[in-house]
Structure formats: C-alpha cells, structure tokens
Amino acid sequence: MQVPVDKRDDLGRFAKGNIPKSAFSKGQVPHNKAQTKAQQLILGKKVGSWPKGKERPEVKLFLASYGTGHVPWNKGLNKEKAKLIGKRLGGCSVLGRTPWNKGKTGVFSEDALKKISEGSKRWKRSSVHLQKLREGRKGLTEDAKKKIGAKNKIAMIQKWKDPEYRKSQSYIIAQSLHKQPNIPEKYIRDILVRNFPGEWKYTGDGSLIIEGYRPDFTNCNGRKEIIEIFGDYWHKRKKLKWHQTELGRIMACASVGFRCLVIWEYEIKELSEQEIVDKIRQWQKLAKCQ
C-alpha cells in the first residue's frame, strides 16, 4: 500500500509513492535536473520507483513510529463490557439511541415533503406566463434596452441623493469589505499613536461615514479634523472623479464642517517621522489662527 504523497519522513523526503505532475508549478526547476540516476542514489534521492531489494531504514523507522503511544478506544473490551458503557463493537452507533432518520423517506419525512411541495406550488409560474417572459426578453430592441438602463440610472441617482440611503449603503459596503489599514496607513497610525496619544482614531474600517466616504483618521478630541492617506497609484491617474482628487475630498469634508489634511504616499516615503508630525501640528495651528 502506498503512503499518501504528503506523508514525509524525518529526512524531509517522500516516504513512498510517485510525485504527481500537478505538484509542480509552471516554470519550477526540478530538484534532480541534470543529475544522473547514480548521482541521485548517492545523494539518497528517490529515482522513480525505489529499486527492489534496496533497504530504506528511515522509512521503516517512520512507519514504526507512526501512531506510537495511541491506545485504541476498544482495547480490552468485549461485547458485554461495551454494552455497559453504551458502545457497540464493530460500529459507531450508540446502544439505545433512535436513529435520526428512522421513519423518514430519504432525508425528509413524508409530512415535510408535502409541505415543501405545497409551498413551491404557490410561487410556480404557469407555462403561459413563462413563455410570455421569454418572448418579452427576446423582443426587446437595443433602443428599448438603453431606455430601460437610462431609467434605472436616473432612479439610482435619485436614491443616492438621499443622505440616509447613501449612509446606509456606504456602511454596508464598508462592513462587507472588512477594510483593514494598508502599509502607509499603518505607518501613519503608529506615528499618531506615539506623538498624539488618544487624539486620533482609525475610521477607515467604516466606523465613521462622512458624505459617503470612510475617512482614514478622525480626531476624537472634539475637533472636526480628518487625515486622509492618498496612494500615488489610485489618486494620480489621468481620469479621476471629483471626490478622488485632493481638492474634491477637502471640499466634501468642508461641506459638513470637517477640516481635511491629505498626506500623499510619496510624502510618507520622502519625509521623516518628525517632519510628518510637524506638518500635522502646523496644519492644526492654522485652524486656531483662523
């Protein structure tokens, strides 16, 4: 009997069995490339099926030690002793327990099958109805499809103008993404914790929604201040929406009474920690002067 491919001995080689082709990824160089069979045997590597008569003491040691110390649950039990503890030798059923599927047809009982059948009949469409639906979909022209799409687009735009709907949808999206801070955000978070203890909180996970956006960091000391981290790839493209630009994000936050500071990814790479701290403090001082 062959040992499964993933069973390895102490030397890190396969104990027995051939390696399937699927175990190698495309472009991977084989470990025995440019080696003869004699060289591989000297190195202790396996060449196809191991030659007959060749002893492998490491495999014998592996098989002998496999499962050492494990005591079978039925060791020393006979039928009488097994009945006392509620076990049945030769099977896993417990004595005296009623099988869960006793009296049932297949998986469900007859009553359950009747209820399922009755429930499905309520929503079952007639053949005439289904035929009309098929013909209706096939009969739509390209102009009709465009008109329907335009109407749906206008309806969604009107929905997103509602602040309550926008807030609820933004929260749902944020929770579904389970957003975690990326590398630049983690770096800025550590700087804020060291230099502004208890003043800033990470809200990029959707815990705070402002104008449909998830601000990266929000001041929790009573001041309406936000720090946004802009990645070079996402916010320096040629085609950007207004809210994706630096000025657009600042104005969107200002419309609800928040001041916004944008820190770019290239600034994080170029500036030292002290320079970033000075930039944040200088930005906070400007608010007091105003």
Side-chain angles (χ1 to χ4, degrees), residues 17-262:
N18 296 326
I19 305 172
K21 291 182 180 180
S22 60
F24 297 96
S25 58
K26 190 175 181 181
Q28 183 177 350
V29 181
H31 73 279
N32 56 356
K33 189 175 182 181
Q35 290 182 0
T36 62
K37 290 185 178 181
Q39 289 175 339
Q40 293 179 49
L41 288 172
I42 292 170
L43 294 171
K45 294 182 179 179
K46 182 177 178 181
V47 184
S49 297
W50 197 262
K52 290 183 179 180
K54 182 75 174 180
E55 294 185 358
R56 299 188 65 189
E58 66 272 15
V59 176
K60 291 181 180 179
L61 181 64
F62 171 79
L63 295 175
S65 62
Y66 190 77
T68 303
H70 177 69
V71 181
W73 68 271
N74 58 354
K75 186 176 181 181
L77 283 179
N78 53 26
K79 289 184 177 181
E80 295 177 358
K81 292 181 180 179
K83 286 181 180 180
L84 294 174
I85 61 173
K87 296 282 187 179
R88 177 179 292 154
L89 293 179
C92 58
S93 301
V94 179
L95 292 172
R97 179 182 295 176
T98 305
W100 67 272
N101 57 353
K102 187 176 181 180
K104 291 186 178 181
T105 305
V107 178
F108 299 101
S109 64
E110 293 181 1
D111 294 336
L113 289 172
K114 286 180 181 178
K115 289 179 181 179
I116 293 170
S117 177
E118 290 173 0
S120 60
K121 286 179 181 177
R122 296 176 188 173
W123 304 101
K124 193 173 182 179
R125 294 188 176 97
S126 64
S127 58
V128 179
H129 188 193
L130 292 172
Q131 186 62 27
K132 286 182 178 179
L133 290 174
R134 293 191 196 101
E135 291 175 357
R137 293 192 185 103
K138 289 180 181 178
L140 288 175
T141 62
E142 292 297 324
D143 293 336
K145 290 179 181 178
K146 287 181 180 178
K147 287 179 180 179
I148 293 171
K151 286 182 179 179
N152 292 336
K153 187 177 180 180
I154 293 169
M156 289 305 298
I157 290 172
Q158 293 297 326
K159 276 188 176 182
W160 278 92
K161 285 182 178 180
D162 182 9
E164 293 297 327
Y165 178 82
R166 186 167 62 245
K167 185 179 179 180
S168 64
Q169 292 300 309
S170 300
Y171 180 77
I172 292 169
I173 293 169
Q175 292 299 316
S176 63
L177 292 174
H178 298 288
K179 189 176 184 302
Q180 299 294 327
N182 54 31
I183 294 174
E185 290 171 352
K186 286 180 180 178
Y187 179 72
I188 295 297
R189 183 187 62 183
D190 294 340
I191 290 176
L192 294 174
V193 169
R194 285 193 295 268
N195 297 276
F196 304 89
E199 188 172 345
W200 292 93
K201 179 185 178 183
Y202 177 74
T203 53
D205 55 356
S207 55
L208 179 66
I209 306 293
I210 295 177
E211 286 297 294
Y213 312 120
R214 304 184 302 270
D216 293 328
F217 298 95
T218 307
N219 192 296
C220 52
N221 275 1
R223 288 185 288 192
K224 290 189 173 183
E225 295 176 341
I226 290 171
I227 294 178
E228 290 279 15
I229 311 301
F230 272 22
D232 297 336
Y233 175 79
W234 294 107
H235 295 277
K236 279 197 171 184
R237 292 177 292 173
K238 291 182 179 179
K239 293 183 179 180
L240 286 175
K241 295 181 180 179
W242 173 243
H243 69 271
Q244 293 175 330
T245 62
E246 182 176 358
L247 182 59
R249 187 61 58 87
I250 291 171
M251 291 184 68
C253 294
S255 64
V256 289
F258 280 83
R259 296 180 66 249
C260 179
L261 171 66
V262 175

Side-chain angles (χ1 to χ4, degrees), residues 196 199-200 219 223 225 259 279-289:
F196 304 89
E199 188 172 345
W200 292 93
N219 192 296
R223 288 185 288 192
E225 295 176 341
R259 296 180 66 249
K279 180 177 181 177
I280 296 171
R281 284 177 176 162
Q282 187 176 2
W283 171 72
Q284 287 180 328
K285 286 180 181 178
L286 286 174
K288 295 179 180 179
C289 296

